[in-house]
Amino acid sequence: MTTQPKTQVLSIGEALIDRVSRPGTDTAEFVGGSILNVAVGVAQLGHDSTLAAWWGPDERGNRLAEHCKQQGVRTVPGVDGAQRTTLAEATLDEQGRATYEFDILWDVPPISNAREYGHLHTGSMAATIAPGADKVLRAVKEMSLSSTISYDPNIRPAIMENPSLVRDRIEQIVRFADVVKASDEDLQWLYPDTPVEEVMRRWLREGVSMMITTRGPWGAYVMLKGERDMLVIDPLDVELADTVGAGDSFMAGLLSALLDAGLLGSSDAKTRLRSARWSDVTSALHIATITSGLTVSHNGAFAPSRDDVDEVIAAHPELS
């Protein structure tokens, strides 16, 4: 993997504690949260990564702060302004698939230097839960003028309750996003009567340049604004440990590779991505597949490093 001059990447969204219940084992707590996972993944892949999150000045919040420090993720001032740190109850089934219940507080600490960041990533609960959701949308609108934007709706039915309550807000962010990744389950929940391929095409018409729908063991669908047809990306063939953080790892790998390719990180990159062809992005899609595959082969939200990715590519040069 080659690198371009470092772009500052800002991730806005939840960092929390996962209390994980797995059949046959004791319940345990781990640091987690979709946006934290992406911020850590981007940092582990060698990029300048900053997180704007919201946790409490308590023991769990201290664990989140220490985790960010250890993983090379900076945090904006004020991230510990919540009354308490959000807790997610994650239950894993016999196949390692996770379901969640949440006790969440969400707001966005002040971001005074937003124009210094070349790329903004957001999504999940951050885009739909008050009072932080309005601030997320404001940041997306402002930063889209000079930065690239990525978005992962990462639907949580236990929090979002009904598609009609969140669909409009999700679509507002989609209109400003350059890259959108969603799972097929996300899109089916949002639009139960519409094939996912049609939703993907609709979001491209709304302004997205690159649209990815992940499909678990069936890989991913990809559409580009600059291409007519849809591409199907096969998953990495690995032994499944669990699916915790798989989608976040896919996103981190994709963002890292697109930044390296000069297709994210500036207004000029925004223009290049809008006209990109398959040959420009296939390597990035392979890297996203590798990072996701490495994550699901470990327990928990494992964030692969560049060395981990390079090792897979050395064994499978067709993925380079």
Side-chain angles (χ1 to χ4, degrees), residues 104-125:
I104 187 168
L105 294 177
W106 169 240
D107 204 347
V108 179
I111 303 170
S112 58
N113 57 341
R115 291 190 178 274
E116 295 181 7
Y117 299 98
H119 183 78
L120 167 64
H121 175 69
T122 191
S124 195
M125 298 174 282

Side-chain angles (χ1 to χ4, degrees), residues 1 11 33-45 47 119 121-122 150-154 179-184 186 200 210-224 231-238 242-260 264 278 281-297 300-305 309 319:
M1 297 170 65
S11 300
S34 174
I35 306 304
L36 171 62
N37 291 341
V38 174
V40 167
V42 167
Q44 287 298 299
L45 291 166
H47 294 276
H119 183 78
H121 175 69
T122 191
S150 57
Y151 177 50
D152 179 359
N154 197 21
V179 176
V180 175
K181 181 199 74 69
S183 71
D184 51 2
D186 292 340
M200 295 174 70
M210 185 178 199
M211 176 71 207
I212 305 102
T213 299
T214 55
R215 304 170 61 239
W218 298 281
Y221 290 156
V222 188
M223 293 185 183
L224 288 176
L231 185 67
V232 178
I233 299 293
D234 291 330
L236 195 67
D237 185 16
V238 297
D242 66 46
T243 62
V244 175
D248 304 326
S249 184
F250 186 101
M251 178 60 90
L254 180 69
L255 297 182
S256 171
L258 291 176
L259 286 162
D260 290 343
L264 291 178
W278 292 126
V281 301
T282 301
S283 177
L285 293 165
H286 286 162
I287 289 171
T289 301
I290 292 169
T291 53
S292 179
L294 289 170
T295 295
V296 301
S297 68
F302 172 74
S305 68
V309 173
L319 295 174

Side-chain angles (χ1 to χ4, degrees), residues 19 34 56 103 105 114 141 143-144 149 168 195 215 221 232 247 257 268 289 307:
R19 180 186 288 158
S34 174
D103 175 23
L105 294 177
K141 289 180 177 179
M143 293 181 66
S144 68
I149 309 293
D168 181 64
R215 304 170 61 239
Y221 290 156
V232 178
D268 289 341
T289 301
D307 288 343

Side-chain angles (χ1 to χ4, degrees), residues 128-161:
T128 59
I129 293 179
D134 287 343
K135 297 177 183 178
V136 170
L137 180 59
R138 188 179 310 127
V140 166
K141 289 180 177 179
E142 293 175 355
M143 293 181 66
S144 68
L145 298 175
S146 57
S147 307
T148 48
I149 309 293
S150 57
Y151 177 50
D152 179 359
N154 197 21
I155 298 298
R156 302 298 190 192
I159 294 174
M160 300 177 185
E161 297 181 354

Side-chain angles (χ1 to χ4, degrees), residues 303-314:
S305 68
R306 283 184 178 267
D307 288 343
D308 294 325
V309 173
D310 288 341
E311 184 176 341
V312 174
I313 292 175

